[in-house]
Each structure stands twice: as C-alpha cells, then as structure tokens.
Amino acid sequence: MIKVLFVCLGNICRSPMSEFVFKQMVKERELSSQFEIASAATDGYNEMCHAGIHHGTRHMLTTMHVPFEEHYSRRICSNDYAYFDYILGMDDSNIEDIQSIIGLDTEHKIHRLLDFTDNPRNIKDPWYTGNFEETYWDIIEGCDAFLKKVIDQ
C-alpha cells in the first residue's frame, strides 16, 4: 500500500483538489487497492473552523467530472510523517511549513507535487489568484508525473 498525503496551506483548495484528482487517476488505472490518499493543511485555522472544500475547487472538480466527497480541513501532524510514504506540498512555503511541523525529512518523503514533472515549480494558491483552472491543470500535470514515477519504481 502506497500512502500519499497532499498538503497545502489551508486544505480547502489545492490539496483536496489534488487528493480527488489523484484518486480518480488511480481508479482509472485500476490501482485503487494499492493506494491510500489523503490531504492536509499546514495551518490549523480552517480545521478549527471546520471548513470544507472551497467553492472554487468544488466548481472546478465538478466541471472536470472529478468525483469528490465531503471533506473537512485537517492540519498535518508529526505522526503523519511516520504513516505516509509521500508528503506532497504545493509550494516552497508549504514544504518549509511541513518541515517545521514534522522535523527533518530523513527518509526523503517530502516533495513539491510539480517536482516530478519536467518543469518543477510551485502551484499557485487559487485562494489568492482566483485562478482555479490554472491550479487544476498544474495538479493534473503533477499527479500524472507522480503516478508514473511511483508505478515505474
């Protein structure tokens, strides 16, 4: 079982979008039994407010026919490092925050999602940009490259 945790700042936009996009990709390849997929935040505010998926993320997933279920923000914790095989942040700031929460990445589990692509970069936060479509296509690119890397191992 390959355990993957997607992480962004609030766990209401990029990381849940990644979680559900990746679940769909895995299901389409009939690999669901080989993966456990979840998402989390580096900040605890949305967890405290019991925030669900942002309406822009919901709209994008619906538009692109990506199935999703109710999801509430949760903050990453130090135990997640021992549990998950891959912890995939969306940007450099997420990576720094993840490391401040869990400590040193001695097992090399922490990566930016787009680090697996031919064009490594940050995924912009649509909470600030308002561009959920750009975020969606970056996530598609990252999830596809990550899945290929994991399958080829």
PDB file of all heavy atoms in Angstrom, residues 33-46:
ATOM      1  N   SER A  33      -6.659  -0.215  -4.988  1.00  0.00           N
ATOM      2  CA  SER A  33      -6.317  -1.078  -3.852  1.00  0.00           C
ATOM      3  C   SER A  33      -4.856  -0.929  -3.427  1.00  0.00           C
ATOM      4  O   SER A  33      -4.474  -1.375  -2.351  1.00  0.00           O
ATOM      5  CB  SER A  33      -6.611  -2.534  -4.189  1.00  0.00           C
ATOM      6  OG  SER A  33      -5.777  -2.974  -5.243  1.00  0.00           O
ATOM      7  N   GLN A  34      -4.058  -0.290  -4.257  1.00  0.00           N
ATOM      8  CA  GLN A  34      -2.635  -0.129  -3.957  1.00  0.00           C
ATOM      9  C   GLN A  34      -2.295   1.213  -3.309  1.00  0.00           C
ATOM     10  O   GLN A  34      -1.150   1.456  -2.953  1.00  0.00           O
ATOM     11  CB  GLN A  34      -1.816  -0.280  -5.238  1.00  0.00           C
ATOM     12  CG  GLN A  34      -1.933  -1.647  -5.867  1.00  0.00           C
ATOM     13  CD  GLN A  34      -1.173  -1.721  -7.179  1.00  0.00           C
ATOM     14  OE1 GLN A  34      -0.109  -1.148  -7.329  1.00  0.00           O
ATOM     15  NE2 GLN A  34      -1.740  -2.441  -8.141  1.00  0.00           N
ATOM     16  N   PHE A  35      -3.294   2.091  -3.166  1.00  0.00           N
ATOM     17  CA  PHE A  35      -3.042   3.439  -2.657  1.00  0.00           C
ATOM     18  C   PHE A  35      -3.984   3.809  -1.528  1.00  0.00           C
ATOM     19  O   PHE A  35      -5.145   3.421  -1.521  1.00  0.00           O
ATOM     20  CB  PHE A  35      -3.225   4.472  -3.779  1.00  0.00           C
ATOM     21  CG  PHE A  35      -2.108   4.490  -4.781  1.00  0.00           C
ATOM     22  CD1 PHE A  35      -2.140   3.656  -5.883  1.00  0.00           C
ATOM     23  CD2 PHE A  35      -1.031   5.356  -4.628  1.00  0.00           C
ATOM     24  CE1 PHE A  35      -1.122   3.670  -6.823  1.00  0.00           C
ATOM     25  CE2 PHE A  35      -0.011   5.380  -5.559  1.00  0.00           C
ATOM     26  CZ  PHE A  35      -0.052   4.535  -6.661  1.00  0.00           C
ATOM     27  N   GLU A  36      -3.455   4.604  -0.608  1.00  0.00           N
ATOM     28  CA  GLU A  36      -4.252   5.338   0.369  1.00  0.00           C
ATOM     29  C   GLU A  36      -3.911   6.800   0.132  1.00  0.00           C
ATOM     30  O   GLU A  36      -2.743   7.180   0.140  1.00  0.00           O
ATOM     31  CB  GLU A  36      -3.922   4.929   1.800  1.00  0.00           C
ATOM     32  CG  GLU A  36      -4.758   5.662   2.811  1.00  0.00           C
ATOM     33  CD  GLU A  36      -4.498   5.225   4.238  1.00  0.00           C
ATOM     34  OE1 GLU A  36      -4.044   4.075   4.450  1.00  0.00           O
ATOM     35  OE2 GLU A  36      -4.735   6.034   5.145  1.00  0.00           O
ATOM     36  N   ILE A  37      -4.929   7.631  -0.077  1.00  0.00           N
ATOM     37  CA  ILE A  37      -4.722   9.008  -0.492  1.00  0.00           C
ATOM     38  C   ILE A  37      -5.511   9.934   0.418  1.00  0.00           C
ATOM     39  O   ILE A  37      -6.707   9.719   0.651  1.00  0.00           O
ATOM     40  CB  ILE A  37      -5.165   9.192  -1.962  1.00  0.00           C
ATOM     41  CG1 ILE A  37      -4.444   8.192  -2.861  1.00  0.00           C
ATOM     42  CG2 ILE A  37      -4.940  10.629  -2.424  1.00  0.00           C
ATOM     43  CD1 ILE A  37      -5.112   7.964  -4.207  1.00  0.00           C
ATOM     44  N   ALA A  38      -4.840  10.984   0.911  1.00  0.00           N
ATOM     45  CA  ALA A  38      -5.489  11.948   1.806  1.00  0.00           C
ATOM     46  C   ALA A  38      -4.880  13.327   1.573  1.00  0.00           C
ATOM     47  O   ALA A  38      -3.949  13.487   0.782  1.00  0.00           O
ATOM     48  CB  ALA A  38      -5.308  11.506   3.258  1.00  0.00           C
ATOM     49  N   SER A  39      -5.401  14.310   2.293  1.00  0.00           N
ATOM     50  CA  SER A  39      -4.849  15.653   2.207  1.00  0.00           C
ATOM     51  C   SER A  39      -4.904  16.330   3.569  1.00  0.00           C
ATOM     52  O   SER A  39      -5.671  15.926   4.445  1.00  0.00           O
ATOM     53  CB  SER A  39      -5.582  16.480   1.150  1.00  0.00           C
ATOM     54  OG  SER A  39      -6.941  16.648   1.486  1.00  0.00           O
ATOM     55  N   ALA A  40      -4.083  17.383   3.713  1.00  0.00           N
ATOM     56  CA  ALA A  40      -3.990  18.099   4.988  1.00  0.00           C
ATOM     57  C   ALA A  40      -3.495  19.522   4.751  1.00  0.00           C
ATOM     58  O   ALA A  40      -3.082  19.876   3.647  1.00  0.00           O
ATOM     59  CB  ALA A  40      -3.054  17.356   5.945  1.00  0.00           C
ATOM     60  N   ALA A  41      -3.514  20.307   5.817  1.00  0.00           N
ATOM     61  CA  ALA A  41      -3.085  21.708   5.786  1.00  0.00           C
ATOM     62  C   ALA A  41      -1.852  21.899   6.661  1.00  0.00           C
ATOM     63  O   ALA A  41      -1.604  21.116   7.579  1.00  0.00           O
ATOM     64  CB  ALA A  41      -4.203  22.601   6.315  1.00  0.00           C
ATOM     65  N   THR A  42      -1.115  22.964   6.388  1.00  0.00           N
ATOM     66  CA  THR A  42      -0.026  23.334   7.288  1.00  0.00           C
ATOM     67  C   THR A  42      -0.519  24.287   8.367  1.00  0.00           C
ATOM     68  O   THR A  42       0.081  24.407   9.423  1.00  0.00           O
ATOM     69  CB  THR A  42       1.151  23.988   6.537  1.00  0.00           C
ATOM     70  OG1 THR A  42       0.685  25.151   5.850  1.00  0.00           O
ATOM     71  CG2 THR A  42       1.771  23.011   5.551  1.00  0.00           C
ATOM     72  N   ASP A  43      -1.634  24.961   8.106  1.00  0.00           N
ATOM     73  CA  ASP A  43      -2.212  25.908   9.048  1.00  0.00           C
ATOM     74  C   ASP A  43      -3.461  25.288   9.675  1.00  0.00           C
ATOM     75  O   ASP A  43      -4.211  24.589   8.992  1.00  0.00           O
ATOM     76  CB  ASP A  43      -2.572  27.207   8.313  1.00  0.00           C
ATOM     77  CG  ASP A  43      -3.081  28.274   9.246  1.00  0.00           C
ATOM     78  OD1 ASP A  43      -2.247  28.937   9.897  1.00  0.00           O
ATOM     79  OD2 ASP A  43      -4.322  28.438   9.338  1.00  0.00           O
ATOM     80  N   GLY A  44      -3.701  25.566  10.925  1.00  0.00           N
ATOM     81  CA  GLY A  44      -4.829  24.956  11.627  1.00  0.00           C
ATOM     82  C   GLY A  44      -6.109  25.758  11.628  1.00  0.00           C
ATOM     83  O   GLY A  44      -7.121  25.302  12.154  1.00  0.00           O
ATOM     84  N   TYR A  45      -6.113  26.951  11.012  1.00  0.00           N
ATOM     85  CA  TYR A  45      -7.295  27.811  11.079  1.00  0.00           C
ATOM     86  C   TYR A  45      -8.538  27.152  10.492  1.00  0.00           C
ATOM     87  O   TYR A  45      -9.597  27.149  11.111  1.00  0.00           O
ATOM     88  CB  TYR A  45      -7.030  29.152  10.375  1.00  0.00           C
ATOM     89  CG  TYR A  45      -8.239  30.039  10.375  1.00  0.00           C
ATOM     90  CD1 TYR A  45      -8.584  30.753  11.520  1.00  0.00           C
ATOM     91  CD2 TYR A  45      -9.054  30.150   9.254  1.00  0.00           C
ATOM     92  CE1 TYR A  45      -9.714  31.565  11.550  1.00  0.00           C
ATOM     93  CE2 TYR A  45     -10.184  30.958   9.271  1.00  0.00           C
ATOM     94  CZ  TYR A  45     -10.507  31.667  10.410  1.00  0.00           C
ATOM     95  OH  TYR A  45     -11.629  32.450  10.423  1.00  0.00           O
ATOM     96  N   ASN A  46      -8.439  26.609   9.285  1.00  0.00           N
ATOM     97  CA  ASN A  46      -9.610  26.010   8.643  1.00  0.00           C
ATOM     98  C   ASN A  46     -10.105  24.777   9.387  1.00  0.00           C
ATOM     99  O   ASN A  46     -11.301  24.505   9.427  1.00  0.00           O
ATOM    100  CB  ASN A  46      -9.326  25.669   7.183  1.00  0.00           C
ATOM    101  CG  ASN A  46      -9.266  26.908   6.323  1.00  0.00           C
ATOM    102  OD1 ASN A  46      -9.964  27.874   6.558  1.00  0.00           O
ATOM    103  ND2 ASN A  46      -8.407  26.889   5.327  1.00  0.00           N
TER     104      ASN A  46
END
